[in-house]
Amino acid sequence: MNLELIRYNLFYPHRREAVIMASLSADLFYDILKRLDAAALARAGCACADFRAISNEEDLWENACNSLWPSTRLGDVRSLIVSVGGFRKFYADCFTFTLILNKDVPVVQTNETNPFAEEWAESDYYYDDMDELENSQPSDFVSLIDIWYKDRALYSKVIWGIPNSDGANGWFYNCPFRIDLFHHSSENNENNNGEVFLSTISDLPSVPSIEQERKDGKLWRELNDGIKLSWIIVNRKMKRAVNLTSWHPLGGQRHWPTDTDFVLRFGSVLPAKEVLPCQVAECILLMKFRMTSMGSEEAGEPSTLALTELSLQIEDMGGVHLNGRCSLLLLKEALSCHRSRNYDEVLESCNLYLKAQSELKEEKIRSECRFDTLCIVSGITIFAAISTMCYRKFENV
């Protein structure tokens, strides 16, 4: 560093960093940026013109995406991401906290004109326009799944297309839609090799007994706080991607269906204004763990859980599983829906949906109770009328 530069740094300390940055080479900038994660890389691109120019390099974003989502390193995923716009665009679409935000949850009204309290006909659930289906073929969708526990990658999977969806007029379009990670045909996923891979967690707290876990729920809390899920849907024809999960669990159920099972529920609220009469639907991702070893504190052995189920399905507000035809249309709409990086805002919209769904169920129960009461009163009235007629007829005889 020459004398003039030293004097400049002494008399203008607030500009010292800019001078030092200007004296560095582009190769050194590149070496610095490639060590950053995706979020830090995005912020560095806003720091100065030099960082902004270098941060546009696809190699940096590919490295960042590979570190964030291990599934992007599997198979031909790199070619897929390049074909839909590159790793920088992929990150912008599927950033960890860029989640689906849907505030258009209808309010359930408790009156006789409430359309949500009635049963919807099957024809109301999907378009009859085959052009829409041609733009939403199951083979166009690719799923990238990643699971973490306390920021440690546990499991990654790539599913090309939607399993068991062959045939344009087959059963898939009219049967409940579901993607089960461990029960689909190996021919739909070249990385599956016909085997079911069980990912285990080996650093959980030990559980003295199931009865003790029922009381304190220590293992359940650790599982809820530590597990994270990313389920990215990529459409090759639309060249778009979206993360369908809530990243953190929205709820769950422990000791179900057996004492050693733990079920976590992730998901998001999808827009369905032109698909469903209720205008919204819920994408539900269920993850089930089974305890294979309770461990022992004395021996220093931790509890071990095995991942036994991971599935994706879509339900309407009435809790009905949507069929394949309607689900494809909803997934297509999700690729271009509004998103937010505010996790609390996204969580609030999910809670709003659950509240509306609960109110809908309560209104249906009240409607059924009113109908049952009407049937009972009508039956008693008819019975009383018939009894009276018979009695009078008997008196006349």
Tab-separated table of all heavy atoms in Angstrom, residues 365-381:
chain	number	residue	atom	x	y	z
A	365	ILE	N	-71.795	-29.955	12.022
A	365	ILE	CA	-72.319	-30.751	13.140
A	365	ILE	C	-73.634	-30.150	13.636
A	365	ILE	O	-74.596	-30.879	13.912
A	365	ILE	CB	-71.284	-30.818	14.277
A	365	ILE	CG1	-70.063	-31.631	13.824
A	365	ILE	CG2	-71.894	-31.434	15.527
A	365	ILE	CD1	-68.934	-31.656	14.835
A	366	ARG	N	-73.672	-28.809	13.734
A	366	ARG	CA	-74.913	-28.167	14.168
A	366	ARG	C	-76.026	-28.397	13.156
A	366	ARG	O	-77.188	-28.632	13.539
A	366	ARG	CB	-74.681	-26.667	14.372
A	366	ARG	CG	-73.899	-26.331	15.624
A	366	ARG	CD	-73.973	-24.848	15.926
A	366	ARG	NE	-73.224	-24.078	14.932
A	366	ARG	CZ	-71.959	-23.698	15.087
A	366	ARG	NH1	-71.306	-24.036	16.192
A	366	ARG	NH2	-71.346	-22.993	14.160
A	367	SER	N	-75.711	-28.348	11.876
A	367	SER	CA	-76.719	-28.596	10.844
A	367	SER	C	-77.239	-30.023	10.927
A	367	SER	O	-78.443	-30.276	10.787
A	367	SER	CB	-76.126	-28.325	9.461
A	367	SER	OG	-75.724	-26.987	9.321
A	368	GLU	N	-76.312	-30.973	11.147
A	368	GLU	CA	-76.732	-32.364	11.283
A	368	GLU	C	-77.581	-32.565	12.523
A	368	GLU	O	-78.556	-33.335	12.502
A	368	GLU	CB	-75.508	-33.276	11.314
A	368	GLU	CG	-74.744	-33.338	10.000
A	368	GLU	CD	-73.470	-34.155	10.097
A	368	GLU	OE1	-73.165	-34.608	11.216
A	368	GLU	OE2	-72.793	-34.340	9.075
A	369	CYS	N	-77.221	-31.876	13.615
A	369	CYS	CA	-78.016	-31.985	14.846
A	369	CYS	C	-79.423	-31.420	14.638
A	369	CYS	O	-80.407	-31.997	15.116
A	369	CYS	CB	-77.312	-31.249	15.990
A	369	CYS	SG	-75.806	-32.053	16.566
A	370	ARG	N	-79.491	-30.280	13.929
A	370	ARG	CA	-80.813	-29.709	13.654
A	370	ARG	C	-81.634	-30.646	12.777
A	370	ARG	O	-82.848	-30.809	12.993
A	370	ARG	CB	-80.649	-28.342	12.970
A	370	ARG	CG	-80.144	-27.249	13.898
A	370	ARG	CD	-80.319	-25.871	13.266
A	370	ARG	NE	-79.439	-25.704	12.112
A	370	ARG	CZ	-78.234	-25.153	12.159
A	370	ARG	NH1	-77.760	-24.722	13.332
A	370	ARG	NH2	-77.502	-25.025	11.073
A	371	PHE	N	-80.988	-31.264	11.797
A	371	PHE	CA	-81.695	-32.201	10.926
A	371	PHE	C	-82.159	-33.426	11.711
A	371	PHE	O	-83.281	-33.914	11.520
A	371	PHE	CB	-80.788	-32.615	9.776
A	371	PHE	CG	-81.415	-33.572	8.820
A	371	PHE	CD1	-82.351	-33.139	7.891
A	371	PHE	CD2	-81.075	-34.920	8.843
A	371	PHE	CE1	-82.943	-34.023	7.000
A	371	PHE	CE2	-81.660	-35.813	7.959
A	371	PHE	CZ	-82.592	-35.363	7.039
A	372	ASP	N	-81.275	-33.947	12.593
A	372	ASP	CA	-81.656	-35.097	13.414
A	372	ASP	C	-82.829	-34.756	14.325
A	372	ASP	O	-83.758	-35.563	14.508
A	372	ASP	CB	-80.461	-35.564	14.247
A	372	ASP	CG	-79.363	-36.167	13.384
A	372	ASP	OD1	-79.651	-36.525	12.232
A	372	ASP	OD2	-78.209	-36.253	13.870
A	373	THR	N	-82.770	-33.547	14.913
A	373	THR	CA	-83.873	-33.124	15.786
A	373	THR	C	-85.174	-33.012	15.010
A	373	THR	O	-86.239	-33.436	15.484
A	373	THR	CB	-83.539	-31.764	16.426
A	373	THR	OG1	-82.311	-31.881	17.159
A	373	THR	CG2	-84.645	-31.329	17.367
A	374	LEU	N	-85.085	-32.452	13.788
A	374	LEU	CA	-86.278	-32.334	12.950
A	374	LEU	C	-86.833	-33.704	12.599
A	374	LEU	O	-88.065	-33.914	12.624
A	374	LEU	CB	-85.936	-31.562	11.679
A	374	LEU	CG	-87.068	-31.372	10.668
A	374	LEU	CD1	-88.201	-30.569	11.290
A	374	LEU	CD2	-86.549	-30.683	9.408
A	375	CYS	N	-85.960	-34.652	12.304
A	375	CYS	CA	-86.412	-36.009	11.981
A	375	CYS	C	-87.087	-36.666	13.183
A	375	CYS	O	-88.130	-37.337	13.043
A	375	CYS	CB	-85.241	-36.862	11.514
A	375	CYS	SG	-84.591	-36.386	9.896
A	376	ILE	N	-86.518	-36.481	14.371
A	376	ILE	CA	-87.097	-37.082	15.579
A	376	ILE	C	-88.466	-36.479	15.874
A	376	ILE	O	-89.437	-37.196	16.162
A	376	ILE	CB	-86.142	-36.886	16.771
A	376	ILE	CG1	-84.857	-37.699	16.554
A	376	ILE	CG2	-86.816	-37.301	18.072
A	376	ILE	CD1	-83.797	-37.458	17.607
A	377	VAL	N	-88.543	-35.134	15.804
A	377	VAL	CA	-89.827	-34.468	16.063
A	377	VAL	C	-90.863	-34.890	15.030
A	377	VAL	O	-92.038	-35.152	15.367
A	377	VAL	CB	-89.637	-32.935	16.055
A	377	VAL	CG1	-90.986	-32.226	16.133
A	377	VAL	CG2	-88.748	-32.508	17.205
A	378	SER	N	-90.438	-34.963	13.768
A	378	SER	CA	-91.375	-35.389	12.715
A	378	SER	C	-91.841	-36.819	12.952
A	378	SER	O	-93.035	-37.138	12.781
A	378	SER	CB	-90.705	-35.274	11.340
A	378	SER	OG	-90.316	-33.950	11.074
A	379	GLY	N	-90.905	-37.689	13.345
A	379	GLY	CA	-91.282	-39.073	13.615
A	379	GLY	C	-92.262	-39.188	14.766
A	379	GLY	O	-93.227	-39.968	14.703
A	380	ILE	N	-91.997	-38.421	15.841
A	380	ILE	CA	-92.908	-38.457	16.998
A	380	ILE	C	-94.277	-37.922	16.609
A	380	ILE	O	-95.321	-38.477	17.006
A	380	ILE	CB	-92.308	-37.646	18.160
A	380	ILE	CG1	-91.026	-38.340	18.658
A	380	ILE	CG2	-93.312	-37.495	19.282
A	380	ILE	CD1	-90.297	-37.547	19.727
A	381	THR	N	-94.280	-36.835	15.812
A	381	THR	CA	-95.556	-36.244	15.394
A	381	THR	C	-96.366	-37.217	14.550
A	381	THR	O	-97.578	-37.385	14.736
A	381	THR	CB	-95.298	-34.952	14.601
A	381	THR	OG1	-94.544	-34.042	15.412
A	381	THR	CG2	-96.607	-34.307	14.189
